[in-house]
Amino acid sequence: MGSNFAECHPVGFRWVMKAKERGCKVIHIDPRFTRTSAMADLHVAIRSGSDIAFLGGLVNYILTNDRWFKEYVVAYTNAATIVAPEYQDSEDLDGLFSGYDPEGRVYDTSSWAYAGTAAGTPNMGHGAKSANEPHSKEGNPGMDLRRYPPRSDPTLQDPHCVFQILKRHYARYTPEMVASICGCTPAEFDIVARTLCDNSGRERTSAFAYAVGWTQHTVGVQYIRTAGIVQALLGNIGRPGGGIMALRGHATIQGSTDIATLYNLLPGYLTAPSVQIPDHDTLEGWLRREMPTTGWWANGRKYMVSFLKAWYGDAARADNEWGYQLLPKNVGDHSHMPMFVAMHEGVVKGFMAIGQNPAVGGQNAVYQRAGLANLDWMVARDIFMTETADFWRAPDVKDPSAIQTEVFFLPAATVPEMDGSFTNTQRLLQWHDKGVESPGDCRSDLWFTHHLYQRLRALYQGSTNPNDVPFLSLTWDFEEEGPRREPKAESILKEVNGYTLPDRVPVAAFADLKDDGSTVSGAWIYTGVYPKDGVNKAASRNGDDWVALGWGFAWPANRHILYNRASADPSGRPWSERKKYVWWSEDEKQWVGYDIPDFQVTKPPSYRGVWSRGGMDALDGTDAFIMKPDGKAWLFAPSGLVDGPMPTHYEPWEGPGANALYKAAPRNPVAKLFNVVGNRYIDPGDAAFPIVISTYRLTEHHLSGVMSRWVPWLAELQPELFVELSPELARERGIGNTDWVTVATPRTAIECKALVTRRLKPFQVMGRTVHQVGMPWHWGYRGIVTGAVVNTLASLVGDPNVTIHEGKAFMCQLHAGRRAEEVARGLPDRALPLPHVGRRERQAAEAMIDRGITLAEQASSLDELVVKEPAPYLPLDAPIGVYHG
Amino acid sequence: MAKGFYTDTTVCIGCKACQVACHQWNGLPAEEPGERELTGDSYDNTGTLSALNWRHVKFIEQIPEDRHQNGFLDGSRWLMMSDVCKHCVHAGCLEVCPTGAIIRTEFDSVFIQTDVCNGCRACLAACPFGVVDIGSDGKAHKCTLCYDRLQHGMEPACAQACPTDSIRFGEVSELMALAEQRAADLGAHGIQAQIYGKDDIVGGLNCFYLLVDKPEVYGLPAKPELPSSNVAAALGGSAATAALLAITGAVSFRKRRMDDMSRDESAPEDEP
Ligand code: SF4
Ligand code: SF4
């Protein structure tokens, strides 16, 4: 679900086909019949934006038909845990959970805590409290479980226990309700539910594979949470053939989350400090808030101190909080969409687009381009002259001289031209060696970053400004090689892995990291990838047909399946011979098996935790989910989420109509909204935009097309932008196959060809017909093949947990023929390619203020302050959306 | 030792990696760069096998109109198949070629020596599958079964690129056994699959297919015919000629390929 595995991850899909050849059943649930559906045993079409209803239906099916894996659920999940009596469910409050503040559009999440852990504890905050607060670490444990373990009722009868809450919460998700919301039939739902349950349990396991079809929603995080609940109830986590696989879109997008290109994370999933969180003022406060005292994260101090030593070296000392104050602090949500709003506001003045093409890939792409037009400077580093690099000469920019942004283009090397690692979807690091030298001035990303730092450092050298201390304190001692002075990728890997001080011997495992400043580790989760000087496990290639522990390195500690303690029953025996994976050996008195145990290797199943000791000692020999403070898989999330402890069906921000379940809160009540000029939303069911649209990718192209639209062999395979629509809708609108069509949303209108196909179908949603179309978004105005930018249609609106956009479900209108300009002109607040307050005006205003201050400072009498020249024209009262260049 | 392909269409995901790998290895340019239009024929935008497309992936949508009732549960299929030269055991093109440009190699594949070809087009009409095409150089072109790679012990580029092993390369008799087994396995699961390219198809195809529908659905002739009825009688004679030409042809082809390679290697490093 939520992925088009065969088309977007064809190489990984090889293994699905191998499994299928061996009898595995493949189910594809997707709005369209895609190349993945063609390979599946079963395809069920549901409307974009309705997956939580479908998955919630599965939860209900599993519970009402008694298909849950009882021993697993009782032992390994928090089903038995008692939740605070103050907690009120969305089923009681018509779509809202307890603690909602309608004015701030935020939840006070304290009533979602486990019973006895909420009241009177000052640091119950977990995750972001308001839309502007930065996100905390994903799944941040945060709860105060310091003194007592949570209370539980192993009989699962207590009305406040998670199991009973879960049952009540999903009781209305019947097959009929699912069908009505999703647009499938109860029979289709039933066959999926039955197949999934029949293939789960002791003898069998089932896996979910998802991609951005699940994440790109205003309830994106909760989509995945729902799958987590289904899988935990069926006992499909921590076991071979089970799990929830996030199919990540780029070769190393997993790596870029691990080594944190995200603003709110430091490497290794340590929360980036924020000035908005008072606890983050000091390292001790940060540790108190971010690191629970029980479970594996109780080791957090070692990881943080080792990380600070990696960045700041000798400047990180015991007497200065290990350099904690040198870390930059967030002042708000600095993720992608808010960054572009800040460009419009003149707050962000410079921008580096490195291997990123927001002029094509950004939601409401015209608005995002206008943000670039409001910058002082921009650097684009890429392998071709992308639409972003060339944004100032986009076809809709009538007068490029109106854009004052100074643009630098730096040519980049491609992957075969550099050494480095990829971390793929299952956390496996694989090294790649440079094959050829990059031509001309093209340089690797490492080279660029390394030499940028060196040059900046030369400029900062000798500065006495205290603001420059953090920059000058960074350690930067990577080895260089060759005439180009390329930084040695392995020397960076060594720092990421970690080593001891002062002798710089690589650390073999993260268990060896210390909190006394004697170890360095750039990202603790990667420790072990470079265990000895000259030994790079990411480059190891000793594969086999089984778990393949000798191929690459899977973080953490080369564990291929996380939480694999759960592959054995509570007493440590495999659930079945067929699904044997990691088990307790009474002879050896340790956990053994095919994988590296994700558990303390000598802790016996019979061990009883002593809570007051904290750390791993607090958890039982049956607490398989060691990263959680209570060692359990969370069916109900008492902390870490800002939009509800359990997922519930909300309509997309722009959806086709009412929510069948809730009137008070039909959409995510805490979705991140951007009420700015040029980003108009429509209300649910707006008759002017009645068609559901989803955007996606094709096998033939890659993302914004930089790596495919410039390659003739790929470009010719999908040469033109198209919209896929059903023959029924095509007939209704008088559109023939390959005809030109205009697609419009409140943001803008674009033109493309029609691909009429029965692979799409109209849905019956709550008793009426809802049409759905889809558009691949690879095209732009540069490259060998060009086409309109599909992401100009989408809005800026985000999930409140992670601020991902909602490109997978919004509403549009179709018109036959090429009418984009005319249709766009009729839109009341469409996005325009130049900011509505231009840079010149901003500069003029700033200059005027500066001049006023100087005058005031120098003036000896009031008379001198009378302005004798006309003020520059400031279009503050200009009609919205009109640019005055 | 006949080498060939077993193309299992039931695991083809239509990714076209084979098409691209073939272009890349054989240095075939894209057609009319940037000027191709959307064909509207499912996801196929290159149309046919041609002088530039020695592989071509076909997309056949079979979805009933009344899919509203039952979703896509009943009878919805999207068939994909990567088409290629069949390297026939009795090759019509080879038979009719008046210059002897088309030879049978030591791998039993059918190879056009472009330097011998005079562009007479006889082979175009003689191929019952419409594989051979005349390129802009006026000569006949088609899949070489990566003759140059085979000579170096490598598998063909397309087979190596195929992520799902829809294209399998190897000894034809071994491949045939695999295909029989696969057809039987599918049959046991209620899926009727047939091998296209046994002896009944012009005496056998070294590149054969596993299909789940009638050959015509995939654009393959149900009963392909060779150009002349006396082909069989003529085969003996031409085989001897072919063997002789094969040696000279292969040598010149390999030399050209190797020359190209060494030229590439000696290119200056920072040449833009
Ligand atoms: S065998 Fe070689 S020439 Fe023939 S289709 Fe495959 S890649 Fe192309
Ligand atoms: S590479 Fe393989 S899977 Fe992809 S289109 Fe070609 S035959 Fe099909």
Side-chain angles (χ1 to χ4, degrees), chain B residues 5 18-19 21-23 25-26 28 54-55 83-85 87 142-149 156-159 167 169:
Chain B
F5 290 133
C18 47
Q19 247 180 273
C22 179
H23 275 79
W25 178 260
N26 294 297
L28 300 169
W54 300 351
R55 274 235 172 238
D83 200 6
V84 70
C85 170
H87 294 276
K142 69 162 193 73
C143 162
T144 67
L145 202 73
C146 280
Y147 190 27
D148 49 350
R149 290 173 67 99
C158 53
I167 303 172
F169 171 77

Side-chain angles (χ1 to χ4, degrees), chain A residues 413-452:
Chain A
T414 58
V415 168
E417 295 164 341
M418 46 179 136
D419 292 336
S421 67
F422 284 129
T423 307
N424 75 7
T425 233
Q426 72 263 37
R427 312 177 319 282
L428 188 73
L429 278 86
Q430 295 177 94
W431 196 258
H432 58 85
D433 293 311
K434 182 165 86 177
V436 286
E437 195 80 67
S438 55
D441 284 338
C442 299
R443 290 292 181 275
S444 71
D445 300 331
L446 283 184
W447 186 95
F448 173 75
T449 315
H450 177 70
H451 289 282
L452 179 66

Side-chain angles (χ1 to χ4, degrees), chain A residues 14 18 35 39 42-43 188 484 700 713 716-720 724 728 737 757-760 762, chain B residues 12-14 16 24 28 31 36-38 40 43 45 61 63 67-68 71-73 78 163 165 270:
Chain A
R14 168 189 180 84
K18 296 277 169 226
R35 281 177 267 200
M39 293 297 118
L42 178 66
H43 168 71
E188 285 177 294
R484 286 176 170 181
E700 292 86 343
W713 295 324
E716 71 170 353
L717 299 178
Q718 290 291 1
E720 285 190 282
E724 287 184 306
E728 291 83 355
N737 195 21
T757 167
R758 285 188 189 156
R759 292 184 294 99
L760 273 88
Chain B
C12 173
I13 58 174
K16 307 180 191 169
Q24 189 175 30
L28 300 169
E31 234 169 299
R36 265 195 184 279
E37 288 193 1
L38 187 79
Y43 277 3
N45 287 300
E61 295 184 18
I63 294 170
R67 65 210 184 286
H68 318 282
F72 292 98
L73 291 188
W78 192 5
D165 293 342
D270 274 0

